[in-house]
Amino acid sequence: MKKLEGKVAIVSGSGRGIGRAIAMKLASEGAKVVVNDLDAAPAEQTVADIKKAGGQALACAGSVTADGFADKFVKTAIDGFGGLDIIINNAGYTWDNVIQKMTDEQWNAIIDVHLTAPFKILRAAADFLRAASKKEAEAGQEVFRKVVNISSIAGLGGNAGQVNYSAAKAGAVGLTLALAKEWGRYKVNVNCVAFGMIKTRLTEAPASGDASIDVEGRKIKVGVNPDLLAMMERSIPLGRAGTPDEAAGSVYLLCTPESNYVSGQTLVCGGGMMI
């Protein structure tokens, strides 16, 4: 039997990159997964790939910061798969600047996607989780559910040019610590994974010229200068950046039954990189 057989998971930002790798990993271990992406096409592609591999998945496209999205996301899992056992708050991007040049829009956008959106998703799930826990307790059952919030080493040690991102990711750690105490009574393990350098479209050196992504009409510059990227990789004790699959593995660890007595923790997935 696969370790997540019978479990239902929602993974925000799972059409591409690390989120996609997380969704694929959870599905490969038996979880039924609700896949989310800002754009419908990548979400549907991940769903198709999960089904092709023998798993079960549904798409829930849309912005995690949109009004009403959190309720829709949770409802998709409950209506489509009959429950909710695993919540992965992964969606996000960076929009960097030094503080004197950072606009209110940059600050608010990053706080909204990395901190406010996870709060709203977790709040939307609260009623179901509380009711399910009460029913299971009355039946003499102890059923554990999992929340994994995604942070970054920038949230633990700060990063120049990223006051918005560092603050949001530090907030994800605080959210994790508080909710672990609130939801322990419901047998919900609430943990956090802080990523170091992981190779995705947001961090890889652009093939030619400046690279950017479109986020709800905003053109956001992405990618890292090749020389800077090489220098950063040399500073990692394991000698290289991580892959999305390796990042997904660290999240998966906190979703397994072996983590049932682990809560309120932040696991650094950074190849030995120090904060």
Side-chain angles (χ1 to χ4, degrees):
M1 184 175 177
K2 296 178 179 179
K3 294 209 170 185
L4 302 182
E5 199 74 48
K7 302 297 184 181
V8 178
I10 59 176
V11 185
S12 68
S14 50
R16 306 175 175 93
I18 294 171
R20 171 187 162 84
I22 294 170
M24 296 294 293
K25 178 63 177 177
L26 299 185
S28 75
E29 291 294 333
K32 302 170 185 176
V33 182
V34 178
V35 175
N36 158 257
D37 196 89
L38 183 61
D39 303 312
E44 292 288 358
Q45 184 60 58
T46 300
V47 167
D49 291 341
I50 288 173
K51 290 180 177 179
K52 185 177 179 181
Q56 297 183 61
L58 293 169
C60 182
S63 172
V64 295
T65 64
D67 289 341
F69 174 81
D71 291 326
K72 175 186 172 184
F73 199 21
V74 170
K75 191 172 187 296
T76 300
I78 295 170
D79 291 352
F81 290 132
L84 180 58
D85 303 281
I86 298 168
I87 300 171
I88 312 295
N89 282 308
N90 167 78
Y93 59 98
T94 56
W95 195 2
D96 301 346
N97 225 331
V98 291
I99 193 166
Q100 67 269 24
K101 295 181 180 179
M102 184 168 289
T103 65
D104 288 353
E105 183 184 15
Q106 282 178 287
W107 172 268
N108 291 331
I110 296 305
I111 296 295
D112 283 350
V113 72
H114 288 284
L115 187 55
T116 304
F119 155 71
K120 288 183 177 181
I121 290 168
L122 294 165
R123 184 178 62 182
D127 285 347
F128 172 82
L129 297 178
R130 290 168 62 243
S133 176
K134 181 179 179 181
K135 183 177 180 181
E136 288 151 2
E138 289 172 349
Q141 300 172 328
E142 189 175 56
V143 177
F144 288 88
R145 291 179 172 83
K146 313 289 184 177
V147 171
V148 182
N149 296 315
I150 303 303
S151 185
S152 164
I153 59 170
L156 304 179
N159 196 31
Q162 291 189 318
V163 293
N164 52 359
Y165 183 72
S166 297
K169 288 307 193 184
V173 175
L175 174 65
T176 297
L177 290 168
L179 202 58
K181 293 181 177 181
E182 286 191 24
W183 281 5
R185 73 190 74 179
Y186 307 126
K187 309 301 179 186
V188 180
N189 305 120
V190 186
N191 290 295
C192 191
V193 172
F195 293 134
M197 175 62 71
I198 307 294
K199 283 196 172 183
T200 70
R201 67 184 179 135
L202 301 183
T203 59
E204 287 185 325
S208 60
D210 290 339
S212 64
I213 58 173
D214 183 272
V215 180
E216 299 181 280
R218 304 184 187 104
K219 188 177 180 181
I220 310 295
K221 184 178 179 180
V222 297
V224 179
N225 176 279
D227 293 336
L228 177 59
L229 184 61
M231 183 185 73
M232 293 169 69
E233 289 200 81
R234 286 194 297 271
S235 72
I236 299 170
L238 289 184
R240 61 170 176 80
T243 68
D245 285 343
E246 288 169 330
S250 66
V251 174
Y252 165 70
L253 290 175
L254 295 173
C255 296
T256 64
E258 285 82 354
S259 69
N260 284 354
Y261 205 64
V262 177
S263 199
Q265 303 304 305
T266 296
L267 171 65
V268 177
C269 176
M273 185 184 290
M274 298 296 105
I275 298 165

